[in-house]
């Protein structure tokens, strides 16, 4: 079963409040967008999504990013 990692508030193209949810299922990260809609995000929301996806990847146990020097 997928384990929730968090969500990011966003809007649909009509300005209605929506959210995107990030889940981890075994070694996979799932990004659930608003049903049938596009997600409109501010730069701040985009950075938050990046951070949430990065944490979810680490929690999946399959983080394959190369080491930084």
């Amino acid at each position: 079963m997928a384990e929730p990692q968090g969500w990011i508030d966003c809007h649909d193209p009509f300005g209605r409040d929506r959210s995107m949810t990030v889940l981890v299922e075994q070694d996979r990260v799932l990004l659930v967008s608003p049903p049938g809609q596009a997600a409109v995000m501010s730069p701040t929301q985009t950075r938050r999504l990046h951070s949430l996806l990065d944490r979810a990847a680490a929690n999946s146990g399959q983080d394959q990013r190369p080491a930084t020097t």
Side-chain angles (χ1 to χ4, degrees):
M1 180 187 303
E3 183 176 324
Q5 297 295 301
W7 69 90
I8 300 296
D9 292 325
C10 61
H11 295 92
D12 68 11
F14 301 104
R16 297 177 293 201
D17 291 336
R18 297 288 185 254
S19 66
M20 296 180 65
T21 305
V22 177
L23 308 165
V24 170
E25 184 174 42
Q26 296 177 1
D27 64 344
R28 295 187 176 166
V29 176
L30 294 79
L31 178 60
V32 182
S33 62
Q37 298 289 331
V40 179
M41 298 186 297
S42 69
T44 299
Q45 291 167 321
T46 303
R47 286 188 290 276
R48 288 179 184 157
L49 178 60
H50 173 270
S51 176
L52 184 57
L53 288 171
D54 194 42
R55 282 184 283 146
N59 290 342
S60 73
Q62 298 294 316
D63 192 0
Q64 299 290 326
R65 291 184 301 167
T68 57
T69 56

